[in-house]
């Protein structure tokens, strides 16, 4: 019985009826591999990455690929009982490290009082990243402390815990978090009565608006994946990923946006918004003649990108929204090649960290994953991306945000 790569396994699985799929389960209950026995008597054996959702959750990550509704089923995907719905904590250590992917190379980010501030060239139009791309990063703890309003980020996560718990208590249709999160994401009723639905909608709207206001006013900055929050609350990240899904371009469905956008100028302004550098901010406003209101929108997008980068650099992939298996697909679907080199590299780093801590989902890789949890899924736009985008657009329209 020979091993064949995943590309060939896709070919077999699409053309031959499988009669047995067996997961190799170790003593910890994880799945290091999968065997697929086919009617042709061919046995396909594929190893599963230890860092992947598939390794940790086994058959829950393999819904019936012939049934689109499987995506919405409580039987599949990340269950709520492995997610932390309690309020997060702020790190009290001035020294810690994390793994980080820079242009497909894995490096370490070391945070300490003896670390360094990023160094940029005087010409902000250059492609400086602050540190050498291919070496470990020794980042100053003081830089990390100064880069963001960590108390504000913590407070939004604390509120997320309260809001999500309150929504569950208010709903008369959903009595557990698994049922609730599927209903929320796929726009099902959260209460049997209109008055009840209105109260829940207002609670969620007020929270989302608080997140939007924070992002557009405080300027969350890029920190190479480092965070002073131990981990983010799934509902906070759900809101961030909804914003992300609408704010950045997917070549799959955004052809008009690509055509109309000046992505070169956009990339330069967004890059300047990502870092704590007064000279950059001043110069970019002068060169591109950006008004304060317009620049606020770039700071909002920079904040989203920075928070996503922090989340995917954390080994706890379960914090990536209410359904991390769908968030993984959305984050990996945004096209880094559309932007200039600086922003393209930030996207590559984000998606590299996502693969490192949540598992790879490349179709032609040998790693095993379900096509339903992939951006190449035939109904990815309709079944996954649009439900996330609709929530962001609804909020933007109600708040008259950025011309919506």
């Amino acid at each position: 019985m020979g091993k064949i790569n995943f590309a060939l396994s896709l070919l077999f699985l699409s053309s031959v009826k499988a009669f047995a799929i067996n997961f190799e389960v170790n003593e910890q209950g994880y799945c290091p591999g999968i065997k697929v026995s086919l009617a042709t008597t061919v046995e396909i054996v594929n190893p599963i990455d230890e860092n992947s959702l598939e390794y940790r959750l086994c058959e829950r990550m393999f819904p019936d690929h012939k049934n689109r509704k499987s995506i919405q089923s409580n039987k599949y995907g990340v269950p709520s009982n492995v997610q932390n719905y309690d309020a997060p904590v702020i790190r009290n250590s001035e020294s810690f490290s994390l793994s980080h992917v820079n242009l497909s190379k894995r490096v370490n980010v070391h945070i300490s009082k003896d670390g360094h501030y990023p160094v940029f060239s005087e010409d902000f139009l250059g492609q400086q990243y602050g540190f050498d791309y291919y070496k470990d990063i020794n980042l100053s703890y003081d830089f990390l402390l100064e880069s963001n309003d960590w108390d504000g980020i913590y407070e939004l996560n604390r509120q997320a815990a309260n809001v999500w718990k309150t929504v569950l208590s208010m709903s008369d249709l959903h009595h557990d978090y698994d049922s609730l999160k599927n209903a929320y994401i796929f726009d099902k009723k959260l209460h049997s009565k209109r008055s009840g639905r209105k109260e829940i909608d207002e609670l969620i709207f007020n929270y989302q608006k608080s997140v939007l206001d924070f992002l557009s006013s405080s300027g969350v900055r890029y920190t190479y994946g480092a965070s002073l929050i131990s981990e983010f609350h799934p509902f906070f990240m759900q809101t961030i990923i909804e914003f992300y899904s609408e704010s950045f371009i997917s070549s799959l469905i955004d052809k008009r946006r690509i055509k109309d956008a000046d992505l070169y100028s956009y990339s330069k302004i967004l890059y300047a918004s990502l870092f704590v550098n007064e000279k950059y901010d001043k110069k970019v406003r002068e060169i591109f003649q950006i008004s304060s209101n317009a620049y606020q929108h770039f700071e909002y997008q920079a904040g989203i990108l920075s928070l996503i980068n922090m989340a995917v650099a954390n080994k706890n992939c379960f914090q990536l929204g209410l359904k991390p298996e769908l968030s993984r697909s959305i984050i990996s679907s945004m096209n880094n090649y559309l932007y200039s080199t600086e922003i393209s590299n930030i996207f590559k780093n984000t998606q590299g960290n996502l693969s490192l801590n949540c598992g790879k989902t490349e179709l032609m890789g040998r790693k095993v994953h379900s096509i339903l949890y992939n951006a190449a899924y035939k109904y990815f736009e309709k079944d996954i991306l649009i439900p996330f985008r609709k929530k962001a657009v609804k909020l933007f329209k109600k708040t008259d945000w950025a011309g919506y």
Side-chain angles (χ1 to χ4, degrees), residues 110-117 131 138-141:
H110 305 290
I111 293 89
S112 70
K113 295 290 286 187
D114 297 327
H116 306 289
Y117 279 66
F131 291 96
N138 293 306
L139 188 66
S140 167
Y141 174 78

Side-chain angles (χ1 to χ4, degrees), residues 246-259:
E246 171 62 16
S247 299
F248 296 100
I249 290 175
S250 170
S251 64
L252 298 173
I253 62 175
D254 292 325
K255 293 180 173 55
R256 175 173 292 183
R257 286 169 66 175
I258 295 171
K259 182 180 179 181

Side-chain angles (χ1 to χ4, degrees), residues 300-316:
Y300 149 80
Q301 290 193 323
I304 293 171
L305 199 52
S306 299
L307 287 166
I308 292 283
N309 196 267
M310 292 180 210
V312 298
N314 191 308
K315 291 183 178 180
N316 180 12

Side-chain angles (χ1 to χ4, degrees), residues 24-222:
E24 297 177 349
V25 182
N26 61 23
E27 293 180 356
Q28 290 75 38
Y30 298 140
C31 295
I34 182 174
K35 294 180 180 180
V36 182
S37 300
L38 304 173
T40 59
T41 72
V42 174
E43 183 178 67
I44 299 168
V45 182
N46 277 310
I48 299 178
D49 265 354
E50 290 187 9
N51 59 346
S52 68
L53 293 174
E54 287 76 11
Y55 177 85
R56 299 171 223 182
L57 298 172
C58 301
E59 62 270 15
R60 285 195 66 97
M61 290 300 296
F62 295 88
D64 180 1
H65 67 278
K66 296 180 180 179
N67 182 2
R68 290 169 60 187
K69 294 297 184 182
S70 295
I71 288 177
Q72 302 181 25
S73 172
N74 295 348
K75 293 169 52 180
Y76 300 110
V78 176
S80 294
N81 62 8
V82 301
Q83 296 182 283
N84 183 6
Y85 287 151
D86 294 330
V89 297
I90 296 180
R91 292 181 189 271
N92 56 16
S93 173
E94 296 180 352
S95 178
F96 58 95
S97 298
L98 64 146
S99 293
H100 184 68
V101 176
N102 277 352
L103 298 184
S104 301
K105 179 178 174 59
R106 182 172 175 176
V107 301
N108 294 310
V109 179
H110 305 290
I111 293 89
S112 70
K113 295 290 286 187
D114 297 327
H116 306 289
Y117 279 66
V119 177
F120 299 93
S121 66
E122 287 298 317
D123 177 14
F124 102 95
L125 293 177
Q127 297 173 2
Q128 293 295 325
Y129 181 64
F131 291 96
D132 190 295
Y133 275 121
Y134 300 109
K135 295 181 180 179
D136 284 359
I137 295 172
N138 293 306
L139 188 66
S140 167
Y141 174 78
D142 289 334
F143 167 82
L144 184 62
L145 196 63
E146 297 163 7
S147 62
N148 291 302
D149 176 4
W150 296 107
D151 289 335
I153 296 173
Y154 168 79
E155 177 60 22
L156 288 174
N157 278 270
R158 189 191 66 78
Q159 290 177 20
N162 290 335
V163 168
W164 194 234
K165 185 179 294 185
T166 302
V167 171
L168 180 64
S169 67
M170 292 173 67
S171 176
D172 65 345
L173 296 176
H174 308 284
H175 307 294
D176 60 77
Y177 284 123
D178 282 326
S179 175
L180 181 67
K181 68 181 183 180
N182 280 305
Y184 168 79
I185 288 176
F186 297 109
D187 208 22
K188 308 297 183 183
K189 290 182 179 180
L190 300 183
H191 199 282
S192 61
K193 295 182 180 179
R194 175 181 287 184
S195 59
R197 293 196 294 273
K198 184 177 179 180
E199 288 183 22
I200 291 175
D201 286 347
E202 287 181 355
L203 178 65
I204 293 173
F205 169 80
N206 288 333
Y207 174 73
Q208 292 172 326
K209 187 176 184 300
S210 295
V211 177
L212 180 64
D213 290 343
F214 178 82
L215 290 173
S216 59
S217 61
S218 66
V220 180
R221 307 300 184 174
Y222 189 72

